[in-house]
């Protein structure tokens, strides 16, 4: 005997609401009260109702999904953005599909093609999309795109980010204000890290300064290697700017193993504002970016576009700030 199919009518009957209210609660929860939403969700659970998302998408031409592409899921700086993005989209009845590019351009193109083929309702990318056939296809299809964690006056579509070049310049000014003269850079080899490094070098005016480059994503181990390389290049180096907080933790560890005092012998500054930075010994000075705010703003303008609204602020510069702690004498 074929089991009875549970429908939305059964949910509405169980919840004591109209069919359209039940539909709104499960498909667009932002349009009903919290009490109604909870009642309908409880009813759906009670009768065992599972929405047919594919059928709903065919009717509305909406998949109710948004794709987010990040280089590496485990990188601490991106986590607050993904968490905020997930929560904001959930309030609008959207689900997030997460893709990892691995700092690989070919993989990024493949993921973009896959998401375009699935006709996701929007795409959020950590970084700037190159002018590729995949990006052009997304533009032609009309899928809204928000580029994040970077800055451009002319993004593919919309952008929420900041200038990595300006980060490097600001840290160089901070080092100079401290009176340090012999400084170095420990950086990963991905594009955004290199832009920060180049910004620091350009502002400092010394492209021949000690520099250690490690494969992305950087971590504690590569930070230790970078510190050792920089000290080999210049044993009297006084301060190091690291392209990520995880790398800076490795620099701190290597300095401690070598008997160097931080910040008396060697000052260290990271980037990203990771939660653990404040709890290192000594606490790490870092360039903090509000990743959660990036996620919230990306979701806001993306949902506006999905509703067919005009976005008055398609390019948002969230800025950044140096959080001074003990690793630089703060």
């Amino acid at each position: 005997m074929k089991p009875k199919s549970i429908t939305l009518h059964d949910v509405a009957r169980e919840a004591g609401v109209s069919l359209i209210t039940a539909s709104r609660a499960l498909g667009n929860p932002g349009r009903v009260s919290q009490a109604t939403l909870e009642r309908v969700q409880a009813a759906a659970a009670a009768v065992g109702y599972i929405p047919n998302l594919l059928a709903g998408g065919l009717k509305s031409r909406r998949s109710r999904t948004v794709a987010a592409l990040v280089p590496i899921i485990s990188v601490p700086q991106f986590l607050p953005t993904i968490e905020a993005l997930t929560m904001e989209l959930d309030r609008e009845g959207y689900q997030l599909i997460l893709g990892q590019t691995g700092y690989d351009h070919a993989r990024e193109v493949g993921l973009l093609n896959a998401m375009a083929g699935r006709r996701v309702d929007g795409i959020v990318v950590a970084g700037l999309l190159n002018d590729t056939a995949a990006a052009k296809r997304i533009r032609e299809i009309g899928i809204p795109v928000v580029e994040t964690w970077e800055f451009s006056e002319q993004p593919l579509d919309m952008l929420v980010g900041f200038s990595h070049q300006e980060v490097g310049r600001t840290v160089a000014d901070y080092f100079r204000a401290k009176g340090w003269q012999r400084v170095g850079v420990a950086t990963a080899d991905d594009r955004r890290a290199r832009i920060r490094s180049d910004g620091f070098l350009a502002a400092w005016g010394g492209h021949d300064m000690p520099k250690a480059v490690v494969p992305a994503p950087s971590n504690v181990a590569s930070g230790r290697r970078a510190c050792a390389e920089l000290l080999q290049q210049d044993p009297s180096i006084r301060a190091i700017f690291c392209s990520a907080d995880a790398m800076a933790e490795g620099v701190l560890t290597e300095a401690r193993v070598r008997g160097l005092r931080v910040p008396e012998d060697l000052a260290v500054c990271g980037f990203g504002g990771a939660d653990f930075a404040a709890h290192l010994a000594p606490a790490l000075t870092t360039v903090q970016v509000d990743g959660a705010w990036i996620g919230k703003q990306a979701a806001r303008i993306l949902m506006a576009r999905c509703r067919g609204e005009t976005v008055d602020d398609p390019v948002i510069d969230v800025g950044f700030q140096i959080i001074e702690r003990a690793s630089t004498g703060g």
Side-chain angles (χ1 to χ4, degrees):
M1 181 178 176
K2 185 177 180 179
K4 178 180 179 295
S5 177
I6 305 299
T7 70
L8 190 59
H9 290 274
D10 298 310
V11 177
R13 187 182 306 110
E14 177 74 16
V17 300
S18 67
L19 182 63
I20 191 170
T21 297
S23 177
R24 285 174 177 169
L26 296 178
N28 195 351
R31 298 183 62 187
V32 300
S33 68
Q34 184 63 31
T36 298
L37 175 61
E38 292 175 356
R39 188 160 74 244
V40 173
Q41 288 177 334
V47 302
Y49 176 71
I50 299 177
N52 186 336
L53 299 178
L54 178 59
L58 291 174
K59 291 178 183 178
S60 66
R61 295 191 177 182
R62 290 289 183 185
S63 67
R64 311 297 293 184
T65 59
V66 168
L69 305 185
V70 297
I72 299 292
I73 295 172
S74 60
V75 173
Q77 68 193 55
F78 296 127
L79 295 179
T81 299
I82 296 303
E83 291 173 355
L85 187 61
T86 301
M87 292 179 62
E88 295 300 316
L89 292 176
D90 183 67
R91 291 192 180 99
E92 298 287 340
Y94 281 75
Q95 299 297 314
L96 188 71
I97 301 174
L98 194 58
Q100 178 174 276
T101 65
Y103 296 100
D104 185 324
H105 176 64
R107 179 164 176 75
E108 179 183 83
V109 170
L111 286 169
L112 287 173
N113 283 328
M115 297 310 173
R118 292 178 180 275
R119 292 303 191 272
V120 294
D121 293 339
I123 297 175
V124 178
V125 183
L128 298 178
L129 291 177
N130 295 316
D131 190 20
T132 62
K136 292 176 181 177
R137 183 184 179 206
I138 288 170
R139 187 189 296 116
E140 291 169 357
I141 294 173
I143 299 176
V145 176
V146 183
E147 295 163 298
T148 66
W149 279 90
E150 204 155 343
F151 195 79
S152 171
E153 294 288 354
Q154 297 180 320
L156 179 70
D157 187 3
M158 299 176 286
L159 180 144
V160 182
F162 58 95
S163 168
H164 291 266
Q165 182 83 14
E166 188 66 15
V167 168
R169 187 197 67 75
T170 300
V171 174
D173 290 344
Y174 172 74
F175 276 25
R176 185 175 287 110
K178 286 286 189 178
W180 301 321
Q181 296 181 354
R182 307 187 75 85
V183 302
V185 175
T187 180
D189 61 358
D190 63 279
R191 195 175 73 86
R192 285 179 294 279
R194 285 187 175 275
I195 292 174
R196 292 193 294 275
S197 172
D198 290 346
F200 183 95
L201 293 171
W204 196 265
H207 289 267
D208 58 344
M209 74 167 59
K211 182 178 180 180
V213 181
V214 303
S218 55
N219 52 35
V220 174
S222 60
R224 290 195 64 177
R225 292 195 302 271
C227 181
E229 181 179 337
L230 289 172
L231 289 171
Q232 184 176 22
Q233 293 179 43
D234 183 359
S236 63
I237 198 167
R238 181 66 183 80
I240 298 175
F241 173 41
C242 303
S243 66
D245 289 342
M247 178 181 282
E249 182 179 3
V251 171
L252 290 175
T253 300
E254 184 65 21
R256 184 165 53 249
V257 169
R258 290 169 176 260
L260 296 174
R261 300 169 300 163
V262 177
E264 292 86 357
D265 300 323
L266 181 67
V268 182
C269 177
F271 169 84
D275 289 342
F276 67 78
H279 305 288
L280 297 176
L284 177 66
T285 292
T286 182
V287 178
Q288 187 176 67
V289 179
D290 194 338
W293 185 245
I294 289 178
K296 290 179 181 179
Q297 291 304 303
R300 178 182 64 82
I301 59 179
L302 186 63
M303 289 295 95
R305 282 286 303 280
C306 288
R307 292 191 294 268
E309 301 171 3
T310 299
V311 176
D312 295 327
D313 51 348
V315 177
I316 302 172
D317 187 346
V318 300
F320 57 87
Q321 61 177 326
I322 293 178
I323 305 299
E324 187 176 40
R325 299 192 179 107
S327 70
T328 57

